[in-house]
Every structure is written in C-alpha cells, then in structure tokens.
C-alpha cells in the first residue's frame, strides 16, 4: 500500500493554494532547516503546478513574462537549496491537433522561458488515453496499451535524451518500471 511505503519518508506537503514564489521559497527553506537538523538532506521540491503560483505584479498580465519569472525563480531555488526542483507545467492544446500525440517542447505553455531555465524537460505520454477516444481502434490495441506509460525526456542539459517505457495502473495511481 502506498501509505505504508511512504510512512518512513521525510515527506512534507504544503497544500495552501496560490502561494507566491517568495512564500514557496520560505517554506522550502524551513523544511530544509528541519531536515538538516535531523541529518537528512533535502532532495526534491515539487511544485504542482507553475500556473498556480501567484506571480509578482512586475509583469502583471504578461503570461510569457510571468512564466519566465516563475521558471527562473525555480532554477534559483534549486541552486540555493542544492536540490532538484520539479516544476509541473500545463501543455498547450496543440498536441491534440497532431496525429502523433506525443508532446514536444513547443507544446509547453510559454515554452521559451521554461526551455531556457530547465535542466531537464520530461513529458508523460499514455497512448491508451488517445486510443480510447478513437472509434476505429480495435479492442486488442486498447488492451495492449492499457498499462503502458512513456516518460519522454526531451531535454537533458547534462546527459542523454530518451524515451523510458513504464508500467502504470491508472485506477491504482501506480507507476513502476516496465
């Protein structure tokens, strides 16, 4: 059970909505200090998602500049806290217009700033989602794709890009190596 697997991990979840990045930084510093006091390094800060971070008034109304501000602050936070910062981001609807639904970097909303700041950009792709919407798909095709998930690494500043095959169970919120 997931709850049992996570029970011993130093996991902190902040569920307050619409935080500013300054508030996120303050909370992350506080957690890092608590972990350091216990002799545990801070490994990851995950922000779900960048569109829910309240931007400063500096670029009010300019979504591209606001996104750039948030992605730049996330990069600075990673450097300051010496940890990985995962910043989830929404995709544009352009992917829906293509035959191959696998996302590419230009599908990121406000992609330029994100591409510039990110060390790694990865996407999740589940073919079964699209097959289920296709009236012409054969049942065996959907069955074969049901538990397949791809992690598409499209940018990796310090390494290779690749497609990683994973197994998933949507009903159980479970992902593992294939």
């Amino acid at each position: 059970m997931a709850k049992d697997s996570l029970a011993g991990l130093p996991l902190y979840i902040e569920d307050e909505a619409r935080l500013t990045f300054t508030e996120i930084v303050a909370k992350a510093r506080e957690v890092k200090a608590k972990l350091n006091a216990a002799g545990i390094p801070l490994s990851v800060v995950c922000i779900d998602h960048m569109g829910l971070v309240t931007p400063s008034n500096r670029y009010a109304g300019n979504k591209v500049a606001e996104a750039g501000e948030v992605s730049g602050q996330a990069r600075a936070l990673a450097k300051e806290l010496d940890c990985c910062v995962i910043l989830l981001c929404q995709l544009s609807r352009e992917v829906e217009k293509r035959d191959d639904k696998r996302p590419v970097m230009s599908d990121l909303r406000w992609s330029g700033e994100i591409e510039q700041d990110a060390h790694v950009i990865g996407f999740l792709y589940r073919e079964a989602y699209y097959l289920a919407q296709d009236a012409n798909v054969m049942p065996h095709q959907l069955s074969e794709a049901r538990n397949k998930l791809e992690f598409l690494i499209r940018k990796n500043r310090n390494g290779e890009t690749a497609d990683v095959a994973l197994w998933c169970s949507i009903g159980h919120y479970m992902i593992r190596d294939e």
Side-chain angles (χ1 to χ4, degrees), residues 32-92:
K32 182 177 175 96
K34 285 180 186 176
L35 289 171
N36 282 346
I40 303 168
L42 176 64
S43 300
V44 177
V45 172
C46 184
I47 301 169
D48 180 15
H49 71 78
M50 86 179 289
L52 297 177
V53 175
T54 301
S56 71
N57 291 328
R58 183 175 181 188
Y59 303 109
N62 182 338
K63 291 295 187 188
V64 173
E66 288 175 352
E69 178 182 58
V70 171
S71 68
Q73 290 172 323
R75 182 177 175 148
L77 179 63
K79 189 170 185 164
E80 175 190 336
L81 299 182
D82 191 30
C83 71
C84 175
V85 173
I86 298 173
L87 182 60
L88 301 180
C89 180
Q90 184 176 352
L91 295 178
S92 72

Side-chain angles (χ1 to χ4, degrees), residues 35-164:
L35 289 171
N36 282 346
I40 303 168
L42 176 64
S43 300
V44 177
V45 172
C46 184
I47 301 169
D48 180 15
H49 71 78
M50 86 179 289
L52 297 177
V53 175
T54 301
S56 71
N57 291 328
R58 183 175 181 188
Y59 303 109
N62 182 338
K63 291 295 187 188
V64 173
E66 288 175 352
E69 178 182 58
V70 171
S71 68
Q73 290 172 323
R75 182 177 175 148
L77 179 63
K79 189 170 185 164
E80 175 190 336
L81 299 182
D82 191 30
C83 71
C84 175
V85 173
I86 298 173
L87 182 60
L88 301 180
C89 180
Q90 184 176 352
L91 295 178
S92 72
R93 298 283 180 205
E94 291 301 309
V95 71
E96 303 294 333
K97 298 176 184 175
R98 295 192 306 262
D99 289 337
D100 184 357
K101 306 293 187 201
R102 285 173 179 79
V104 296
M105 287 203 293
S106 60
D107 292 325
L108 286 171
R109 287 231 166 153
W110 317 296
S111 62
E113 298 290 335
I114 298 166
E115 287 179 43
Q116 177 182 312
D117 291 331
H119 282 252
V120 176
I121 295 178
F123 300 98
L124 294 175
Y125 171 74
R126 195 168 57 90
E127 183 180 30
Y129 174 82
Y130 296 102
L131 291 176
Q133 298 173 31
D134 185 347
N136 298 320
V137 88
M138 302 300 287
H140 74 278
Q141 289 175 292
L142 184 57
S143 179
E144 287 174 12
R146 186 180 67 168
N147 296 113
K148 292 183 178 182
L149 178 70
E150 294 175 51
F151 181 57
L152 312 171
I153 304 168
R154 293 296 175 251
K155 177 184 178 181
N156 187 352
R157 188 167 284 161
N158 298 317
E160 297 178 24
T161 59
D163 294 354
V164 180

Side-chain angles (χ1 to χ4, degrees), residues 2-16:
K3 181 181 173 187
D4 297 331
S5 299
L6 299 174
L9 294 177
L11 180 65
Y12 294 83
I13 297 174
E14 176 57 57
D15 61 355
E16 187 176 335

